[in-house]
Amino acid sequence: MIVQNHPFRSFLSQGRDIQMLGMLLLLAGTLDLVWIASYPHYALKVFGTTFSGWAGELVKYQHQFVHWVLGYGFLKKTLWAFWGYLLYLGLGCLSELTTQVIEGFHSTRTTMNLVSLIFGCYIFLRRDVFLSSAP
């Protein structure tokens, strides 16, 4: 028997899980920024390519910016954050797949891709939270 007033049901119906994921995206962006600042010679691979100079810095730091923007959107449960996340997920997985085709299989990167896809499926299944907040 499902209890109608169960706290978990209220938690989900209010979209608190999405807001918690938004907080995690904000935290992930901040931790990425600290990590990249600690390793200034790190070069992010995008579609199997690394960039140098100002383009490399832009590519390297866009990742944190996207996390922060999406995290804010998840906190507010906005529809643009839902579509933005799916677009970012698709491009990220495609970029990683391209990198692995060029450079060879990498188990950690494959695991991160799979976890990202599972997370994306959860976000897709919870799309009603974003759709209900649309104007």
Side-chain angles (χ1 to χ4, degrees):
M1 180 168 99
I2 298 176
V3 179
Q4 294 298 328
N5 294 330
H6 193 273
F8 187 68
R9 188 177 185 92
S10 174
F11 178 82
L12 288 177
S13 69
Q14 294 174 5
R16 298 290 184 224
D17 57 330
I18 297 301
Q19 289 177 318
M20 287 177 62
L21 293 173
M23 287 185 266
L24 288 174
L25 282 167
L26 292 171
L27 178 64
T30 302
L31 292 175
D32 276 353
L33 179 65
V34 169
W35 188 85
I36 286 177
S38 299
Y39 298 95
H41 299 295
Y42 170 73
L44 181 67
K45 289 192 181 293
V46 178
F47 293 100
T49 305
T50 54
F51 299 88
S52 59
W54 66 269
E57 295 300 308
L58 181 67
V59 167
K60 185 167 48 174
Y61 286 106
Q62 61 79 30
H63 189 65
Q64 294 78 32
F65 179 73
V66 171
H67 273 89
W68 290 330
V69 169
L70 290 175
Y72 173 79
F74 274 44
L75 282 173
K76 298 291 187 180
K77 300 179 282 188
T78 59
L79 186 57
W80 60 260
F82 170 73
W83 291 112
Y85 179 78
L86 291 182
L87 178 65
Y88 188 59
L89 174 68
L91 287 173
C93 288
L94 186 59
S95 174
E96 189 52 47
L97 181 64
T98 304
T99 300
Q100 288 199 41
V101 166
I102 293 169
E103 295 185 2
F105 175 77
H106 193 279
S107 61
T108 302
R109 291 178 174 203
T110 300
T111 302
M112 286 301 294
N113 245 4
L114 291 174
V115 169
S116 295
L117 289 171
I118 291 168
F119 183 68
C121 287
Y122 181 78
I123 296 300
F124 185 77
L125 291 173
R126 295 288 289 142
R127 67 189 174 275
D128 61 314
V129 172
F130 299 98
L131 296 174
S132 66
S133 67

